[in-house]
Amino acid sequence: MAIKFGRPLERSGSAPSPISEPRQEAAPERLDLAMRPRRNRRAEWVRRMVREHVLTTDDLIWPLFLVDGTKVRTPVASMPGVNRLSVDEAVRAAESAAKLTIPCLALFPYTDPTSRDDQGSEALNADNLICRAIRAIKQEVPEIGVMCDVALDPYTSHGHDGLVRDGVILNDETVAVLARQALVQAEAGCDIIAPSDMMDGRVGAIRAGLDDAGFTDVSIMAYAAKYASAFYGPFRDAVGSNTTLVGDKRTYQMDSGNTDEALREVELDIAEGADMVMVKPGLPYLDVLHRVKEAFAMPTFAYQVSGEYAMIVGAVDNGWLDGDKAIMESLLAFKRAGADGILTYFAARIGEQLKKGGA
Ligand code: PBG
């Protein structure tokens, strides 16, 4: 006989057997259960009362793609609903995000192909697209945080995050450039520098560079455990590095089979001065997120990346999933796993939903 919470689930002799004939007696005998977990789920008010994890707009970081021009909104084919925005449109998006009390934006540039070269020199141009967007947003919407990627891939003709010589990524030379790129962004007013390049030693070099220049209040969110993932495909479409990328990023981004290595990466970034750490991609790496939060108790973020966005939107657009519900459930999964916040292209959509009180 099945036993649950120390008591038999069925009373001997009285429980109907699934294979026996239906009994003639009217009411089946009540099970003698001390614990009935369903009591805590019987109405919305009690479900809300006992809920352990909730999503609020404070948990959201909204990634935006930028493009040159004015009044430009170019759809990203592999990310239905996402547009590349010119700076003026990005300011408008920042205003709507601030109204929804989304605390922070993450900016990514689509660099005109004519401005890309093998050194990624446009990354160091103090008047590049990203710097113009930072200045405009900080001026018009000063209450919202602005975070920027540090990596060379939107700027290089070969699509890699670092400098390349004879097919080899040059770690230390790249780190020197990244530290300068971070400084250029900090000078433009960026609040959080987010190195996404996965070079060894870059967090320490960036921290030192920022401090030496007096930017002690500029934070670093390290893409600490960033995996070499097929789920970045649509992002590369959005920033225009998909067609240019030569080879893959497996000599610097992490191998999907590893989790101990993620802890070592996170430990190094914290030791080098990261204020916050990130695990990326999101849902396919929830186990890593959980281990990182448990091990270090740092502000820990998850990136629900472009491919995850595309998968959900693809199914929703086909009528196979209920969008609002599926998106909310996916974001709540990050909270359950230990995330303090989530970078998600759904930020504005879910922000609207939260504001309406829907969950
Ligand atoms: C660039 C960068 C990538 C993403 C964020 N920063 C792509 C990559 O590493 O190739 C991916 C984000 C996404 O897929 O949504 N270093």
Side-chain angles (χ1 to χ4, degrees):
M1 176 175 300
I3 304 285
K4 202 169 184 193
F5 304 116
R7 296 211 236 170
L9 275 178
E10 306 155 15
R11 288 182 158 183
S12 59
S14 61
S17 146
I19 50 166
S20 64
E21 290 296 309
R23 295 189 171 220
Q24 295 308 310
E25 303 96 274
E29 202 174 331
R30 176 173 64 79
L31 299 178
D32 181 18
L33 301 179
M35 295 299 292
R36 287 181 182 264
R38 291 184 53 210
R39 268 198 287 271
N40 284 344
R41 303 179 205 133
R42 72 185 185 283
E44 182 56 18
W45 65 265
V46 67
R47 288 194 291 271
R48 278 198 284 121
M49 199 171 86
V50 301
R51 189 167 293 147
E52 298 165 50
H53 299 280
V54 290
L55 184 78
T56 76
T57 50
D58 295 341
D59 297 314
L60 303 171
I61 298 176
W62 190 18
L64 299 180
F65 296 112
L66 305 167
V67 68
D68 281 321
T70 36
K71 292 197 169 28
V72 181
R73 301 177 68 88
T74 323
V76 179
S78 50
M79 300 180 74
V82 170
N83 296 292
R84 298 184 194 123
L85 307 175
S86 52
V87 170
D88 54 318
E89 292 288 328
V91 169
R92 210 128 307 132
E95 285 163 354
S96 64
K99 268 199 205 97
L100 293 168
T101 64
I102 291 171
C104 191
L105 302 172
L107 305 180
F108 299 96
Y110 171 87
T111 308
D112 191 89
T114 57
S115 299
R116 299 180 197 221
D117 60 26
D118 64 342
Q119 305 287 304
S121 10
E122 179 66 6
L124 303 181
N125 173 4
D127 207 28
N128 66 17
L129 181 55
I130 206 90
C131 291
R132 283 183 276 124
I134 299 168
R135 284 194 292 267
I137 292 170
K138 290 310 303 186
Q139 183 173 336
E140 304 287 330
V141 199
E143 67 272 28
I144 202 157
V146 171
M147 170 168 138
C148 292
D149 247 39
V150 164
L152 299 181
D153 56 324
Y155 308 100
T156 51
S157 43
H158 45 68
H160 279 289
D161 294 27
L163 302 173
V164 186
R165 191 184 304 135
D166 300 329
V168 175
I169 304 287
L170 306 172
N171 189 91
D172 299 12
E173 286 89 333
T174 299
V175 167
V177 179
L178 297 175
R180 287 169 59 203
Q181 181 187 13
L183 213 50
V184 167
Q185 295 176 350
E187 278 159 1
C190 178
D191 301 297
I192 304 179
I193 297 294
S196 71
D197 55 285
M198 290 300 278
M199 296 300 124
D200 294 334
R202 88 281 206 216
V203 172
I206 290 171
R207 185 71 272 162
L210 291 172
D211 290 351
D212 286 349
F215 292 110
T216 49
D217 280 344
V218 172
S219 311
I220 296 179
M221 181 189 292
Y223 283 73
K226 175 172 176 179
Y227 287 83
S229 171
F231 291 97
Y232 306 151
F235 173 96
R236 293 178 190 166
D237 188 11
V239 300
S241 66
N242 53 343
T243 46
T244 50
L245 182 62
V246 180
D248 59 47
K249 301 191 177 184
R250 286 183 298 172
T251 69
Y252 44 107
Q253 299 180 346
M254 287 177 51
D255 189 289
S256 315
N258 297 345
T259 65
D260 287 343
E261 187 188 5
L263 298 189
R264 296 196 295 274
E265 281 283 3
V266 171
E267 186 172 24
L268 281 171
D269 285 357
I270 295 169
E272 291 177 27
D275 303 285
M276 315 169 200
V277 295
M278 189 207 296
V279 174
K280 177 184 174 200
L283 286 192
Y285 295 85
L286 282 188
D287 57 326
V288 178
L289 174 65
H290 191 252
R291 280 194 79 185
V292 165
K293 183 63 181 178
E294 291 275 296
F296 300 104
M298 285 288 284
T300 304
F301 292 79
Y303 199 143
Q304 183 176 49
V305 300
S306 55
E308 300 175 67
Y309 173 89
M311 282 199 298
I312 294 177
V313 170
V316 171
D317 286 353
N318 273 292
W320 298 334
L321 284 178
D322 176 326
D324 286 346
K325 289 204 173 79
I327 294 164
M328 184 61 79
E329 189 175 333
S330 71
L331 294 172
L332 205 49
F334 293 113
K335 296 290 293 180
R336 229 172 40 237
D340 296 291
I342 306 127
L343 289 91
T344 174
Y345 302 96
F346 292 120
R349 173 175 176 164
I350 217 71
E352 299 276 1
Q353 196 181 326
L354 287 166
K355 204 173 159 199
K356 277 187 253 149

